[in-house]
């Protein structure tokens, strides 16, 4: 706390990213990074950058990368916005599109950065409970479906109001990940389309950070629905968490709105190395397919292995599993694994405090995790 902070800064409750310890012999399964490195073509494209790549400013419109993404998705560059990781893209999305009079709706158990953006940009939000199977229930996102009794109060971070709990439920925007995080559960495209179609007057954002590991993308619906925005990242399925590249796909008018905010903040969020590496990653479809299929395969084997040890594992369409054991507390298991030099993510939050979120590693890493879990649950 400092007397030089403004009032808003004092109210912020910043996002806490998973730890990034640089310890030898640590098995790091806590932040959903890809176990295989990026395509060799990415490394070559970055290495091929010249003196001028650093001497000159990058292209503020990131046109070449946007063209590559558009081609891959069957859209035009006017449908594509890029940013410094999807976290930055999401920040602009909250600022430019989800900050409205009515609260933004998102699941109660979801990516914990969403309420943080709401705090920063002073956006009211309403947390919609997942159903008893930890799934997003479509009916809860249809206009008029949610009542104040079912949904609880709206929240405006930094105030004590239950803003409009008694007002008829109306969303100013909707955002959810598909697959959801940290549950890993995916909704079928028909569910997503129902939500988008039923809410034509507000923006519906689908955060597809993990979509490549087993869910259906909503990018195919973009030309049909001007209120749909899909946000993606190269951090997970393209193994480029360290390069910081994310993007959004949507109607050109939505993209223009994001551009206005971005160009009022930072003209060059992606440097020349990131632009070159990301373009090469998008273009190397063969490497992408092989490595993401390997992760999916390992996930299925790990799921069975955990189930054999008595864990309940939610069906995952992501590069992680969300699992709990009936006889052991999540915090104890996380601490036990840490003592064995394995870190996983544990959220000390209502409804999910007994779960562990475990990133899928190589088969050898999954085997190491399983043997550590076996020791913990059988002693
Ligand atoms: N969305 C979801 C659901 C995530 O889990 C993450 C990763 N923490 C992100 C977005 C952001 O990823 P990045 O900024 O690396 O693109």
């Amino acid at each position: 706390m400092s007397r030089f902070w403004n009032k808003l800064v004092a109210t912020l409750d910043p996002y806490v990213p998973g730890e990034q310890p640089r310890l030898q012999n640590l098995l790091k399964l806590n932040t959903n990074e890809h176990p295989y490195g990026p395509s060799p073509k990415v490394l070559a494209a970055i290495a091929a950058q010249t003196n001028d790549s650093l001497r000159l400013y990058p292209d503020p419109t990131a046109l070449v990368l946007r063209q590559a993404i558009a081609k891959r998705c069957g859209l035009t560059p006017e449908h594509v916005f890029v940013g410094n990781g999807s976290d930055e893209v999401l920040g602009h999305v909250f600022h430019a599109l989800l900050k409205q009079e009515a609260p933004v709706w998102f699941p109660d158990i979801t990516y914990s950065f969403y309420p943080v953006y709401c705090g920063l940009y002073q956006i009211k939000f309403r947390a919609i409970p997942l159903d008893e199977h930890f799934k997003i229930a479509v009916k809860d996102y249809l206009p008029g479906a949610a009542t104040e009794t079912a949904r609880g109060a709206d929240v405006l971070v930094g105030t004590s109001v239950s803003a409009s709990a008694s007002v008829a439920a109306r969303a100013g925007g909707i955002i959810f990940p598909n697959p959801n995080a940290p549950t890993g559960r995916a909704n079928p495209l028909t569910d997503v389309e129902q939500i988008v179609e039923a809410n034509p007057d507000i923006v519906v954002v689908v955060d597809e950070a993990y979509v490549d590991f087993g869910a259906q993308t909503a990018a195919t619906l973009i030309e049909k629905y001007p209120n749909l925005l899909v946000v993606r990242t190269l951090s997970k399925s393209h193994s480029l968490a360290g390069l910081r590249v994310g993007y959004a796909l949507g109607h050109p008018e939505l993209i223009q709105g994001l551009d206005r905010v971005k160009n009022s903040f930072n003209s060059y969020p992606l440097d020349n190395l990131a632009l070159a590496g990301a373009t090469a990653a998008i273009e190397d479809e063969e490497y992408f397919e092989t490595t993401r299929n390997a992760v999916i395969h390992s996930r299925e084997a790990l799921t069975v292995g955990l189930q054999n040890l008595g864990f309940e594992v939610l069906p995952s369409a992501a590069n992680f599993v969300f699992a709990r054991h009936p006889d052991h507390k999540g915090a104890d298991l996380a601490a036990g694994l840490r003592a064995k030099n394995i870190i996983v993510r544990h959220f000390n939050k209502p409804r999910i405090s007994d779960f562990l979120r475990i990133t899928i590693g190589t088969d050898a890493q999954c085997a190491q995790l399983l043997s550590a879990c076996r020791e913990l649950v059988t002693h």
Side-chain angles (χ1 to χ4, degrees):
M1 187 65 159
S2 157
R3 66 195 169 90
F4 298 113
W5 292 0
N6 67 29
K7 279 197 192 119
L8 176 68
V9 172
T11 70
L12 296 179
D13 187 8
Y15 178 71
V16 182
E19 311 164 69
Q20 296 291 348
R22 298 279 186 254
L23 302 175
Q24 288 214 321
N25 300 324
L26 179 76
L27 178 50
K28 193 176 167 305
L29 302 176
N30 66 329
T31 48
N32 300 339
E33 287 130 337
H34 200 299
Y36 306 104
S39 156
K41 291 183 182 164
V42 170
L43 301 181
I46 292 173
Q49 294 304 296
T50 62
N51 246 356
D52 273 353
S53 306
L54 297 179
R55 189 179 67 81
L56 300 176
Y57 281 106
D59 170 12
T61 71
L63 183 61
V64 174
L65 174 58
R66 285 172 42 241
Q67 281 170 334
I69 294 169
K71 186 166 169 219
R72 170 91 185 276
C73 302
L75 295 165
T76 72
E78 289 68 41
H79 291 92
V80 184
F81 176 82
V82 295
N84 191 265
S86 59
D87 279 339
E88 184 186 77
V89 175
L90 288 166
H92 292 328
V93 167
F94 274 83
H95 206 178
L97 305 173
L98 298 177
K99 183 178 167 83
Q100 305 288 350
E101 274 298 301
V104 52
W105 290 6
F106 47 75
D108 62 340
I109 297 166
T110 194
Y111 186 29
S112 47
F113 221 134
Y114 299 162
V116 177
Y117 296 122
C118 289
L120 179 61
Y121 295 123
Q122 292 289 282
I123 304 168
K124 266 181 286 177
F125 69 90
R126 184 171 287 208
I128 313 278
L130 295 182
D131 73 11
E132 69 275 24
H133 307 293
F134 296 95
K135 274 191 84 171
I136 290 172
V138 172
K139 65 174 174 40
D140 290 341
Y141 293 83
L142 306 181
T147 64
E148 63 281 6
T149 42
R151 300 298 144 236
D154 298 338
V155 177
L156 180 59
V157 177
T159 71
S160 57
V161 291
S162 61
S164 55
S166 59
V167 172
R170 191 171 71 83
I174 292 173
I175 181 167
F176 56 88
N178 194 37
N180 194 9
T183 63
R185 294 208 75 148
N187 283 72
L189 188 58
T190 45
D191 284 3
V192 175
E193 181 162 14
Q194 232 186 310
I195 295 172
V196 176
E197 192 175 18
N199 290 283
D201 298 327
I202 59 172
V203 176
V204 177
V205 182
V206 188
D207 178 350
E208 294 192 342
Y210 302 101
V211 73
D212 293 323
F213 298 105
Q216 294 168 285
T217 179
T220 49
L221 300 176
I222 277 170
E223 288 185 293
K224 198 167 164 194
Y225 297 103
N227 62 323
L228 168 64
L229 193 82
V230 171
V231 176
R232 298 247 190 98
T233 178
L234 271 67
S235 297
K236 316 293 180 182
S237 55
H238 289 82
S239 197
L240 286 174
L243 202 66
R244 310 306 302 130
V245 183
Y247 58 96
L249 305 168
H251 189 282
E253 284 179 10
L254 296 184
I255 301 303
Q256 285 159 22
L258 294 173
D259 266 329
R260 289 170 75 90
V261 168
K262 172 247 171 191
N263 288 324
S264 305
F265 180 76
N266 178 3
S267 311
Y268 311 106
L270 292 184
D271 61 58
N272 276 329
L273 307 186
L275 290 173
T279 305
I282 295 286
E283 286 173 347
D284 193 350
E285 289 190 34
E286 195 182 329
Y287 185 88
F288 160 79
E289 283 292 343
T290 311
T291 49
R292 68 106 178 240
N293 287 340
V295 171
I296 292 171
H297 192 264
S298 303
R299 178 187 70 213
E300 298 314 303
L302 178 65
T303 301
V304 173
L306 288 168
Q307 285 167 337
N308 288 342
L309 295 176
F311 280 88
E312 176 196 355
V313 186
L314 297 189
S316 171
N319 68 339
F320 57 84
V321 291
F322 205 48
R324 65 179 163 188
H325 196 281
D327 306 329
H328 296 269
K329 288 197 176 314
D332 294 344
L333 287 174
L337 288 171
R338 176 177 289 269
K340 294 175 185 296
N341 262 351
I342 300 176
I343 50 174
V344 299
R345 194 92 196 251
H346 172 252
F347 299 91
N348 196 11
K349 289 187 177 167
R351 291 185 78 189
I352 56 168
S353 61
D354 276 337
F355 280 90
L356 301 178
R357 192 195 67 189
I358 306 167
T359 302
I360 308 303
T362 61
D363 283 339
Q365 291 170 335
C366 291
Q368 188 185 337
L369 172 89
L370 275 178
S371 100
C373 287
R374 185 173 302 113
E375 285 173 27
L376 292 173
V377 300
T378 51
H379 285 100

